[in-house]
Amino acid sequence: MSTDGFLLPLRLFVGFRQLIDGVHAELAREGHPDVRPLHGFVFQAIGRDGTTAVELGRRLGVSKQAAGKTIDNLERLGYVERATDPYDARRKLVRLTDRGREVLIRSAQIFDELRAEWAAQIGADRLRQLEADLVTVTGAEAFRLDVPGWFG
Amino acid sequence: MSTDGFLLPLRLFVGFRQLIDGVHAELAREGHPDVRPLHGFVFQAIGRDGTTAVELGRRLGVSKQAAGKTIDNLERLGYVERATDPYDARRKLVRLTDRGREVLIRSAQIFDELRAEWAAQIGADRLRQLEADLVTVTGAEAFRLDVPGWFG
DNA sequence: TAAGATGGTCAACGTGGTTGTCCAAAACGT
DNA sequence: ACGTTTTGGACAACCACGTTGACCATCTTA
């Protein structure tokens, strides 16, 4: 039936990667050369309200230690900050700094721009349908962040 | 315009990951539990004719040393074998073993089956259009295999 | 034939993942 | 109220896979 069973997964990945690379190339141009693809998902998982290392690990599908290391790195880069929870002395709240929020906002904007470029090539309605179809076939799958270990 | 700029890349990745995980779950069931997502792409890059470590690295977008390490692993698992090139004593040809070819063939078949499941959900014509649209927007991009290092 | 390019391997290093261990603080149960 | 369990965080050791640098053998080329 199909000409090549590898076409679909390959193109999905290439599309994903082009979008991610496009965002990070632009972020690097705007003064954020150290932000990795991984970090974007972390920023999103932290969100405006902040989280803890354990909760972050849960959301991303990695161990709390791995989440802690990533937080260490982002803290060193100035994108997140830790604060003690006044209601629970065990917890350390992880929140985005202004710099971190800036990256989160810019990322969304750049993704929108890249999406618009796609829309210009295949048409806005076709792109909407592509997104809708992907949602249909993939369902409500949680995002797993253990990509490095998962792939290799 | 778009509700969420993160939707598109996220769904592309989730779709990719579901296909890959589906194939490797089935491969594991069929006696190949040690084959990683990475390896499928390596098998494809080696192809029927075989290659060398340098050429493999070039195709996959990684260093020749990294390609060599991956070959070491696959050789240990019995999926590829090295042979000296009779016309060039420097080169070592890497070829798939019967076991390796089996995985390559089965992978393509399972991908086709998963693709058929997608087609059953959104319709064969819509899936064909989705693929065609992805090809249009992504262009003739070479696959890069440096995923672990790239992502994190 | 000497100089350069090419293919392969070894070694050292970095990052991000894992598990195991331990401690402090909160929650729970009698 | 107090002892026990659970929870959040950090430290350490280890593994996988990527990188660069160096080195040697072999082929190509001027």
Side-chain angles (χ1 to χ4, degrees), chain A residues 13-121:
Chain A
F13 180 73
V14 171
F16 169 72
R17 175 140 189 184
Q18 282 189 12
L19 291 175
I20 298 291
D21 285 346
V23 164
H24 288 277
E26 179 59 28
L27 285 177
R29 240 174 273 127
E30 297 179 7
H32 302 286
D34 295 323
V35 177
R36 314 289 308 131
L38 170 70
H39 297 149
F41 293 95
V42 175
F43 289 162
Q44 232 198 327
I46 293 174
R48 299 237 162 212
D49 304 332
T51 10
T52 66
V54 167
E55 176 57 25
L56 184 61
R58 222 186 310 259
R59 288 187 195 173
L60 301 180
V62 298
S63 66
K64 61 179 182 177
Q65 293 90 333
K69 285 188 189 181
T70 302
I71 294 169
D72 288 342
N73 290 336
L74 289 175
E75 192 176 28
R76 208 176 307 117
L77 292 170
Y79 291 106
V80 306
E81 59 189 1
R82 280 186 238 239
T84 57
D85 185 334
Y87 300 102
D88 187 338
R90 292 170 306 177
R91 292 159 53 100
K92 292 200 178 165
L93 286 173
V94 180
R95 257 179 288 121
L96 294 176
T97 62
D98 288 342
R99 190 171 164 76
R101 257 182 295 276
E102 179 188 307
V103 168
L104 189 58
I105 293 168
R106 281 299 295 142
S107 295
Q109 292 171 343
I110 302 165
F111 272 127
D112 282 343
E113 292 166 17
L114 295 173
R115 186 182 176 284
E117 291 178 19
W118 283 24
Q121 290 182 68

Side-chain angles (χ1 to χ4, degrees), chain B residues 36-109:
Chain B
R36 313 289 309 132
L38 168 71
H39 297 149
F41 294 94
V42 175
F43 289 162
Q44 232 197 326
I46 293 173
R48 299 236 162 213
D49 304 332
T51 10
T52 65
V54 167
E55 176 56 26
L56 184 61
R58 221 186 311 261
R59 289 187 194 172
L60 300 180
V62 298
S63 65
K64 62 179 181 177
Q65 294 91 332
K69 287 187 189 181
T70 301
I71 293 169
D72 287 342
N73 290 335
L74 288 175
E75 193 176 27
R76 209 174 309 117
L77 293 171
Y79 291 107
V80 307
E81 58 189 2
R82 280 187 238 241
T84 57
D85 184 333
Y87 301 101
D88 186 340
R90 294 171 305 177
R91 293 160 52 103
K92 292 196 177 168
L93 287 173
V94 180
R95 257 179 289 122
L96 294 176
T97 61
D98 288 342
R99 189 170 165 78
R101 258 183 294 277
E102 178 187 307
V103 168
L104 190 59
I105 293 169
R106 279 300 293 142
S107 295
Q109 291 171 343

